[in-house]
């Protein structure tokens, strides 16, 4: 939901406790996808993403805001961008062939409708991103299971 930057190992348990507090008692979250989008814009595309909507969107946003406040109250620094629920589909490489990029941008423009893929959120994870020459990989450091 948010990037926290470098986290020390002892802080992982504290962060998991904060996640547990923020989502305690929550049932599964039922969400769905909406429109495709490009970040930051079509002139300088960097990320292809899909918006999130659905039955429990307001609950997700409320819980995320609560968690963000708990994290800040415990002295963690995090990015200050407004939270926009989305799924990152992929990153657009700088060396992408111009015709491939144009096809992608046209596809996103022409598919200006909700994709409407329904899914459940069953757990909230604390993730670590690792960047190397091959790209980005992710590792789950801790997870909180939502109630069924």
């Amino acid at each position: 939901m948010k990037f926290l930057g470098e986290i020390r190992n002892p802080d992982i348990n504290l962060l998991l406790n904060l996640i547990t507090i923020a989502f305690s008692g929550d049932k599964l979250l039922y969400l769905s996808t909406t429109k495709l989008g490009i970040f930051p814009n079509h002139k300088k595309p960097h990320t292809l993403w899909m918006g999130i909507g659905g039955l429990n969107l307001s609950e997700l946003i409320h819980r995320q805001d609560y968690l963000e406040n708990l994290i800040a109250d415990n002295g963690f620094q995090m990015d200050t961008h407004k939270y926009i629920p989305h799924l990152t589909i992929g990153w657009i490489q700088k060396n992408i062939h111009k015709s491939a990029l144009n096809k992608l941008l046209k596809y996103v423009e022409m598919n200006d409708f909700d994709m409407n893929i329904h899914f459940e959120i069953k757990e909230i994870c604390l993730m670590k991103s690792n960047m190397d020459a091959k790209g980005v990989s992710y590792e789950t450091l801790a997870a909180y299971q939502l109630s069924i």
Side-chain angles (χ1 to χ4, degrees):
M1 294 180 173
K2 283 286 192 165
F3 293 100
L4 296 172
E6 289 292 321
I7 300 296
R8 299 174 305 136
N9 280 343
D11 291 332
I12 293 171
N13 285 336
L14 172 59
L15 288 166
L16 181 58
N17 287 338
L18 298 176
I19 290 169
T20 302
I21 292 167
F23 286 89
S24 181
D26 269 8
K27 303 266 187 234
L28 301 180
L29 295 171
Y30 297 93
L31 302 170
S32 60
T33 59
T34 59
K35 296 175 176 54
L36 285 173
I38 298 285
F39 175 81
N41 57 52
H42 284 239
K43 291 184 181 180
K44 289 187 176 183
H46 178 268
T47 306
L48 176 64
W49 56 269
M50 189 175 290
I52 299 295
L55 183 64
N56 297 128
L57 179 62
S58 61
E59 183 65 18
L60 173 67
I61 292 170
H62 170 75
R63 293 299 180 167
Q64 187 279 335
D65 187 53
Y66 181 38
L67 176 59
E68 189 172 318
N69 288 328
L70 288 171
I71 289 171
D73 289 349
N74 279 274
F76 291 94
Q77 300 289 320
M78 66 185 100
D79 89 50
T80 57
H81 293 95
K82 180 179 183 271
Y83 174 63
I84 299 172
H86 70 281
L87 297 173
T88 298
I89 305 299
W91 289 277
I92 300 168
Q93 296 180 348
K94 290 180 182 178
N95 63 350
I96 188 172
H97 194 275
K98 190 169 179 103
S99 66
L101 177 59
N102 287 336
K103 284 180 185 177
L104 174 62
L105 294 175
K106 189 172 185 169
Y107 181 81
V108 170
E109 267 180 37
M110 291 179 66
N111 290 291
D112 189 28
F113 58 87
D114 287 354
M115 296 293 183
N116 215 18
I117 301 167
H118 299 272
F119 59 96
E120 298 173 342
I121 302 294
K122 297 178 180 178
E123 64 183 4
I124 306 299
C125 298
L126 177 62
M127 305 292 293
K128 177 181 179 183
S129 57
N130 301 300
M131 185 86 104
D132 61 24
K134 295 178 183 176
V136 181
S137 62
Y138 297 95
E139 174 186 352
T140 302
L141 299 177
Y144 173 73
Q145 301 290 320
L146 297 177
S147 302
I148 295 180

